[in-house]
């Protein structure tokens, strides 16, 4: 009995047959050597190798430190049970993709005040789309994208589309606040320093979370007022309502602009009326509402539309509103234009034709601001000079449905 390459045969005839086969294979390999060599040379040096190409120099890159041009694009994949967040920047009038962060169903994504962390409030299931639900919050390092803090929380997250302000960092990054809808209205308090869930704070029927200094936050209530909530480290609260600032039939878009650092709230109605407030631990200072569209434009059916329809550049005191001519109740459909107005007077400053169907916009807060736009239909992200409206860059194949843009607050 003879063993050849772990195969066993009885007799000389089997051995000769196998040796002949081995010689034939060797001849084929020898003939193919030049082709293999040329293929190896053709492989770009920056790529890891497969097969005959060496992989000795593989390394995992870091993203550059987060700066004012850093932003994140959340792709929920049309309400899939898994999601992805693209890590990008718009420096030097270009678009760069630094990596992706995986998430669960309809995540809430936010940046810390220092830019060091990306916070994500997540929901997953142990049988993919079924089974036991698990809610948790996680902080990712903004350069390595690796998890830095992971805290399990009760299964309380409000899963309803992508409403950006249903979870938020406190202004000092010490806590994360998470909206609860069922079995009752509330806000979950997560201590990020101690890496633990503190408690669910009982809240009346109010929504959105707008943090201010000294462990305060505001929420929007059904009667048209804001609720101010002050809380301590144990989750004990003091609560009071502001005045009613809008009428019942003045319907607000569910993704307003808000700045944690400045306490500036900009909130458009379906028709383009803009409510504004300056929020602080001292209370809410409501500014005079402004109208973005003239009576003539309203007759022409100009109105805001999109998932994330409003942005602001605070230093320039400019409001950016995603808009188009549209039928009533189409306030979630995409728009082609951005209307820019003075935030104090409402005076029209300019209109930007983006020449694409855009669902969401955001503006960077630097001296030379970039207007960022996301298109679900085109699966693309575009950038524009926010002042002259010129398109600067674009990137396609951005997942399944790039929907929410998260920019640095300062």
């Amino acid at each position: 009995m003879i063993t050849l390459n772990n195969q066993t045969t009885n007799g000389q005839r089997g051995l000769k047959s196998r040796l002949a086969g081995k010689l034939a294979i060797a001849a084929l390999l020898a003939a193919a050597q030049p082709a293999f060599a040329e293929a190896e040379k053709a492989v770009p040096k920056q790529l890891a190798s497969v097969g005959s190409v060496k992989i000795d120099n593989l390394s995992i890159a870091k993203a550059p430190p987060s700066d004012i041009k850093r932003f994140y694009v959340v792709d929920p994949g049309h309400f899939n049970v898994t999601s992805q967040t693209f890590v990008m920047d718009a420096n030097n009038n270009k678009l760069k993709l630094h990596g992706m962060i995986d998430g669960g169903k309809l995540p809430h994504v936010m940046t810390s005040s220092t830019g060091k962390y990306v916070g994500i409030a997540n929901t997953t299931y142990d049988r993919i789309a079924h089974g036991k639900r698990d809610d948790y919050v996680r902080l990712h390092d903004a350069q390595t994208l690796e998890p830095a803090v992971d805290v399990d929380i009760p299964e309380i997250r409000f899963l309803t589309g992508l409403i950006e302000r249903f979870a938020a960092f406190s202004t000092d990054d010490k806590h994360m606040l998470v909206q609860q809808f069922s079995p009752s209205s509330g806000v979950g308090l997560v201590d990020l320093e101690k890496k633990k869930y503190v408690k669910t704070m009982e809240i009346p029927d109010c929504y959105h979370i707008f943090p201010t200094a000294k462990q305060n936050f505001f929420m929007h209530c059904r009667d048209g007022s804001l609720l101010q909530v002050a809380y301590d480290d144990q989750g004990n609260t003091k609560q009071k309502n502001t005045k009613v600032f809008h009428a019942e039939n003045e319907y607000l878009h569910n993704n307003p602009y808000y700045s944690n650092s400045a306490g500036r709230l900009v909130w458009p109605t379906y028709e383009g009326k803009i409510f504004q407030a300056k929020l602080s631990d001292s209370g809410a200072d409501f500014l005079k509402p402004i109208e973005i569209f003239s009576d003539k434009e309203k007759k022409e059916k100009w109105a805001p539309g999109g998932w994330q329809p409003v942005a602001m550049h605070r230093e320039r005191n400019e409001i950016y509103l995603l808009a188009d001519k549209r039928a009533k109740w189409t306030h979630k459909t995409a728009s082609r234009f951005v209307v820019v107005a003075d935030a104090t007077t409402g005076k029209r400053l300019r209109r930007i034709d983006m020449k694409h169907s855009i669902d969401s916009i955001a503006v960077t807060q630097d001296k030379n601001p970039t207007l960022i736009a996301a298109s679900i239909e085109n699966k693309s992200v575009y950038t524009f000079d926010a002042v002259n409206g010129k398109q600067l860059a674009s990137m396609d194949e951005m997942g399944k449905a790039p929907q929410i843009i998260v920019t640095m607050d300062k």
Side-chain angles (χ1 to χ4, degrees), residues 145-172:
L145 308 186
E146 291 294 328
V149 175
D150 194 308
V151 182
D152 187 58
I153 66 173
E155 283 58 62
I156 65 169
R157 287 188 60 234
F158 193 2
L159 302 180
T160 174
L162 280 183
I163 301 179
E164 188 181 7
R165 285 284 163 179
F166 274 17
F169 278 114
S170 60
T171 57
D172 58 5

Side-chain angles (χ1 to χ4, degrees), residues 45 73 91-93 114-115 123 148 152 176 181 200 204 225 228 237 262 277 301 303 352 355 357 360 362:
K45 293 180 180 180
V73 179
N91 281 300
N92 303 313
N93 294 336
T114 62
T123 294
D152 187 58
M176 189 183 290
F181 176 70
T200 300
S225 70
Q228 182 178 356
T237 68
K301 297 185 178 181
I352 300 171
K355 297 181 173 61
S357 295
S360 300

Side-chain angles (χ1 to χ4, degrees), residues 1-280:
M1 180 174 288
I2 301 171
T3 301
L4 183 63
N5 286 352
N6 296 322
Q7 297 187 37
T8 303
T9 181
N10 289 312
Q12 189 71 18
R13 182 178 176 183
L15 176 60
K16 288 181 179 179
S17 176
R18 291 181 186 278
L19 286 172
K22 293 292 182 182
L23 290 171
I25 292 171
L28 285 171
L29 287 173
Q33 277 299 317
F36 282 146
E38 289 302 314
E40 182 171 343
K41 290 178 184 177
V43 175
K45 293 180 180 180
Q46 69 269 27
L47 297 181
S49 79
V50 178
S52 61
V53 184
K54 295 181 180 180
I55 58 173
D56 296 341
N57 297 322
L58 268 183
S59 62
I60 298 175
K62 290 183 179 181
S66 181
D67 62 16
I68 200 65
K69 291 290 193 183
R70 170 71 70 89
F71 66 96
Y72 302 86
V73 179
V74 185
D75 171 20
H78 297 299
F79 298 80
N80 285 359
V81 293
T82 59
S83 61
Q84 54 191 347
T85 297
F86 298 98
V87 182
M88 308 184 73
D89 80 50
N91 281 300
N92 303 313
N93 294 336
K94 298 178 180 179
L95 264 176
K96 289 186 178 179
L97 175 64
H98 297 300
M100 294 184 292
I101 303 173
D102 291 329
K105 186 177 180 67
L106 298 172
H108 291 110
V109 179
M110 65 215 80
T111 60
S112 65
S113 61
T114 62
K116 185 177 180 180
Y117 295 111
V118 189
I120 305 183
N122 267 313
T123 294
T124 59
Y125 298 86
D126 68 353
R127 291 294 183 271
I128 304 178
H130 304 279
K132 185 179 179 182
R133 172 173 165 168
D134 182 27
D135 286 10
Y136 62 97
V137 302
R138 178 177 281 177
L139 305 189
H140 291 261
D141 184 282
Q143 285 192 269
T144 67
L145 308 186
E146 291 294 328
V149 175
D150 194 308
V151 182
D152 187 58
I153 66 173
E155 283 58 62
I156 65 169
R157 287 188 60 234
F158 193 2
L159 302 180
T160 174
L162 280 183
I163 301 179
E164 188 181 7
R165 285 284 163 179
F166 274 17
F169 278 114
S170 60
T171 57
D172 58 5
D173 297 337
K174 180 179 178 181
H175 298 111
M176 189 183 290
L177 304 159
V178 182
Q179 174 93 48
Q180 172 178 293
F181 176 70
S182 179
S184 61
S185 181
V187 173
L189 178 62
V190 184
D191 190 319
L192 298 174
E193 293 180 345
K194 296 181 178 178
K195 301 180 182 180
K196 71 173 187 177
Y197 187 79
V198 179
K199 67 180 292 186
T200 300
M201 300 177 285
E202 293 185 5
I203 300 294
D205 196 12
C206 304
Y207 302 87
H208 297 80
I209 300 170
F210 307 114
T212 62
K214 299 179 182 179
Q215 298 189 180
N216 281 255
F217 62 89
F218 288 78
M219 304 182 75
H220 178 235
C221 303
R222 287 183 182 270
D223 66 356
S225 70
L226 295 179
L227 176 72
Q228 182 178 356
V229 181
Y231 64 95
D232 62 20
D233 289 347
Q234 290 73 47
N236 302 307
T237 68
K238 294 180 180 179
Q239 305 179 16
K240 61 181 180 181
N241 286 81
T242 69
K243 69 176 185 180
V244 172
F245 70 94
H246 72 93
E248 185 176 355
N249 63 349
E250 292 177 312
Y251 302 114
L252 303 180
H253 276 267
N254 58 18
N255 270 321
Y257 168 84
Y258 182 70
S259 164
N260 268 25
S261 63
R264 189 66 182 267
L265 177 64
V266 180
W267 212 330
T269 67
Y270 292 1
E271 289 75 30
K273 186 176 183 178
I274 307 287
F275 292 98
Q276 298 183 74
K278 295 180 180 178
L279 308 181
S280 70

